[in-house]
Amino acid sequence: MSDTHTELHGPHGLADAYLPLERAPYEALVTAVLAWKNPDLTPRDYEQIVLQLTGHAHALAADVLRHASALPKNDGRGALAEVILREAAGHLAQPIRGTAHCAQNRARLVRGLYTRLDRLTEPAPATT
């Protein structure tokens, strides 16, 4: 493994949870999976895609939690992150299936976690 990217192994993605995530390849995968109309892959191919997205979603959830925990208690972004993380945990608890539907659900989850992470890492809105 080079020092310029992170490889995630295992369905929970916990080994590399605190290393910088390689975002671009996963965003490209999410875009491709969500663009499927009538994919014709084998169940094993779908399962491999789901495993990749699941591992990345676990690592993203850990990153969201880390950023949310660092916010002041009165910052509403942290409370919303907790809701998103509970929803993500529910989705990640679902069994992995070798289907396009399962892959697209995991892709939506990764997209949603990136959206939340972006909102946590942008500067807090100014108060008047």
Side-chain angles (χ1 to χ4, degrees), residues 21-122:
L21 299 174
E22 183 69 23
R23 186 171 178 158
Y26 286 96
E27 286 182 325
L29 179 59
V30 164
T31 299
V33 168
L34 292 177
W36 288 342
K37 297 297 181 209
N38 295 310
D40 187 24
L41 302 175
T42 67
R44 184 70 182 141
D45 289 337
Y46 290 123
E47 187 176 319
Q48 288 301 308
I49 292 167
V50 172
L51 286 170
Q52 285 292 316
L53 291 170
T54 298
H56 196 67
H58 278 285
L60 266 174
D63 212 19
V64 167
L65 177 61
R66 186 170 54 83
H67 284 284
S69 297
L71 293 173
K73 296 291 184 199
N74 63 347
D75 191 323
R77 296 177 299 166
L80 186 54
E82 288 179 20
V83 171
I84 300 298
L85 289 171
R86 278 195 301 274
E87 290 177 6
H91 289 293
L92 290 169
Q94 298 297 315
I96 290 174
R97 305 242 188 265
T99 65
H101 179 73
C102 185
Q104 288 179 320
N105 283 341
R106 296 296 162 107
R108 285 183 199 94
L109 175 61
V110 168
R111 183 180 60 190
L113 287 167
Y114 268 125
T115 298
R116 179 58 30 213
L117 182 62
D118 289 345
R119 291 192 178 133
L120 289 171
T121 56
E122 65 189 18

